[in-house]
Amino acid sequence: MKIEISNVSMSYRTSTRGRSVRALESVDADVAEAEFLALVGPSGCGKSTLLKLAAGLLTPTTGEVRLGGEAVTGPRTDVGFMFQAPVLLPWMSVVENVMIQARIRGLDQRRFEERSRELLTQVGLEGYEERYVFELSGGMQQRVAFCRAILHEPSVLLMDEPFGALDALTREQVGLDLQRMWLAQGGQTVLFVTHSISEAALLADRIAVFSPGPGRILETLDVSFPRPRTAEMMNTQAFGELTTHVRSLITLPNGGSAPRPLARGPGLGDG
């Protein structure tokens, strides 16, 4: 499902009377069907706000978000959302946590329990279906959260820094597992918020680089490394050039003029 973000700005009221904070400023972006777009930028630049707007959890101050050509005017049932924390219920088993989606949505219990178990097997959690949250590592908990987010086969997957709490090695592996599952599922349209430039380059088709708040898109870069991506790609010159360029954009004072355009090279688009 295509995502269209047109001239979106967002302001929040603060606890101080008569004052507001501008989170986003005139953001325009199109995400093609089955495309993986990563959003990177400094803290407080409105990346997570943009995800909530796409999910219909917030309404933009100005502008419009459209999913599949339809304006988002309220919470959507055709999206999956992964949060920074796995948000699993400790009194439920692993498979029961995944099945929450089916129960809330009134879906066929037998069919979706079978799908829950299939998804858990695909993320390497076969044999853990009846375990409880405290028996799982952080990476395993995020795999459960991913299964829950895609259980109902959403057209759009919104991911808000889902691996931020993991150690570097686990984060890398879980990210690659996500890529494998995403490809196997047929490729939902993905908006992925991350503070890790390397993670964005490893997983995304394109990277949208945000300025400090109020967030606006400084540049959108193509990432044309072949899929499936591997950890070894992170050691290539092309990968290093891409991540260096993204970092240079983020560290510009006040979101100023962009540095010299990224040179074309093996595995890189025009940028």
Side-chain angles (χ1 to χ4, degrees), residues 58-81:
L58 296 174
T59 301
T61 306
T62 62
E64 184 179 59
V65 179
R66 301 179 71 86
L67 298 186
E70 179 183 343
V72 177
T73 58
R76 303 278 302 208
T77 60
D78 53 354
V79 303
F81 208 124

Side-chain angles (χ1 to χ4, degrees), residues 179-208:
Q179 174 197 226
R180 176 176 51 79
M181 286 286 289
W182 174 66
L183 292 172
Q185 294 292 311
Q188 293 98 343
T189 306
V190 178
L191 273 181
F192 183 87
V193 169
T194 180
H195 285 101
S196 169
I197 297 170
S198 295
E199 185 173 70
L202 184 62
L203 298 178
D205 296 314
R206 290 189 298 148
I207 302 172

Side-chain angles (χ1 to χ4, degrees), residues 204-205 222-226 229 265-269:
D205 296 314
D222 292 330
V223 185
S224 52
F225 301 120
R229 309 271 173 81
L268 292 178

Side-chain angles (χ1 to χ4, degrees), residues 132-173:
Y132 289 91
V133 175
F134 70 89
E135 299 179 272
L136 306 182
S137 68
M140 295 165 78
Q141 290 182 28
Q142 285 294 45
R143 289 183 172 96
V144 176
F146 178 67
C147 292
R148 182 182 59 195
I150 65 172
L151 177 68
H152 60 301
E153 301 169 299
S155 301
V156 173
L157 184 57
L158 307 173
M159 309 184 78
D160 189 4
E161 192 75 21
F163 313 134
L166 305 179
D167 65 84
L169 290 176
T170 302
R171 181 173 187 157
E172 182 181 295
Q173 184 57 55

Side-chain angles (χ1 to χ4, degrees), residues 11 23 44 53 84 91 97 121 123 160 163 176 182 201-202 215 238 247:
S11 296
L53 292 170
Q84 295 179 25
W91 59 88
N97 267 284
T121 296
V123 298
D160 189 4
F163 313 134
L176 292 171
W182 174 66
L202 184 62
R247 188 171 292 106

Side-chain angles (χ1 to χ4, degrees), residues 2-271:
K2 183 177 182 180
I3 304 173
E4 299 167 276
I5 300 164
S6 303
N7 195 33
V8 165
S9 298
M10 182 70 192
S11 296
Y12 290 103
R13 291 187 178 276
T14 69
S15 57
T16 305
R17 180 180 296 180
R19 298 195 63 181
S20 65
V21 172
R22 195 78 157 173
L24 294 168
E25 184 69 53
S26 302
V27 173
D28 290 289
D30 286 342
V31 191
E33 185 172 352
E35 183 180 22
F36 194 125
L37 178 67
L39 312 179
V40 301
S43 295
C45 70
K47 303 183 299 297
S48 296
T49 295
L50 191 59
L51 258 63
K52 293 173 185 175
L53 292 170
L57 302 178
L58 296 174
T59 301
T61 306
T62 62
E64 184 179 59
V65 179
R66 301 179 71 86
L67 298 186
E70 179 183 343
V72 177
T73 58
R76 303 278 302 208
T77 60
D78 53 354
V79 303
F81 208 124
M82 269 191 82
F83 301 93
Q84 295 179 25
V87 199
L88 303 177
L89 301 179
W91 59 88
M92 288 186 174
S93 68
V94 164
V95 71
E96 288 173 334
N97 267 284
V98 177
M99 280 291 291
I100 287 173
Q101 281 275 23
R103 293 197 176 97
I104 290 175
R105 297 172 186 276
L107 303 175
D108 182 83
Q109 297 297 295
R110 180 175 298 179
R111 178 198 163 197
F112 280 91
E113 180 170 352
E114 182 178 347
R115 175 167 163 78
S116 295
R117 294 179 183 276
E118 289 173 353
L119 290 173
L120 289 167
T121 296
Q122 290 176 35
V123 298
L125 291 178
E126 184 176 11
Y128 288 86
E129 295 89 347
E130 311 305 329
R131 299 283 188 92
Y132 289 91
V133 175
F134 70 89
E135 299 179 272
L136 306 182
S137 68
M140 295 165 78
Q141 290 182 28
Q142 285 294 45
R143 289 183 172 96
V144 176
F146 178 67
C147 292
R148 182 182 59 195
I150 65 172
L151 177 68
H152 60 301
E153 301 169 299
S155 301
V156 173
L157 184 57
L158 307 173
M159 309 184 78
D160 189 4
E161 192 75 21
F163 313 134
L166 305 179
D167 65 84
L169 290 176
T170 302
R171 181 173 187 157
E172 182 181 295
Q173 184 57 55
V174 174
L176 292 171
D177 289 343
L178 158 68
Q179 174 197 226
R180 176 176 51 79
M181 286 286 289
W182 174 66
L183 292 172
Q185 294 292 311
Q188 293 98 343
T189 306
V190 178
L191 273 181
F192 183 87
V193 169
T194 180
H195 285 101
S196 169
I197 297 170
S198 295
E199 185 173 70
L202 184 62
L203 298 178
D205 296 314
R206 290 189 298 148
I207 302 172
V209 185
F210 277 68
S211 70
R216 55 188 176 85
I217 295 178
L218 295 173
E219 189 172 343
T220 302
L221 299 162
D222 292 330
V223 185
S224 52
F225 301 120
R227 293 191 185 277
R229 309 271 173 81
T230 64
E232 288 71 26
M233 288 181 177
M234 300 172 72
N235 299 322
T236 64
Q237 180 180 345
F239 192 95
E241 289 175 352
L242 175 60
T243 55
T244 297
H245 184 73
V246 173
R247 188 171 292 106
S248 70
L249 289 169
I250 293 174
T251 56
L252 287 172
N254 301 317
S257 300
R260 182 173 58 84
L262 183 69
R264 296 187 67 175
L268 292 178
D270 293 325

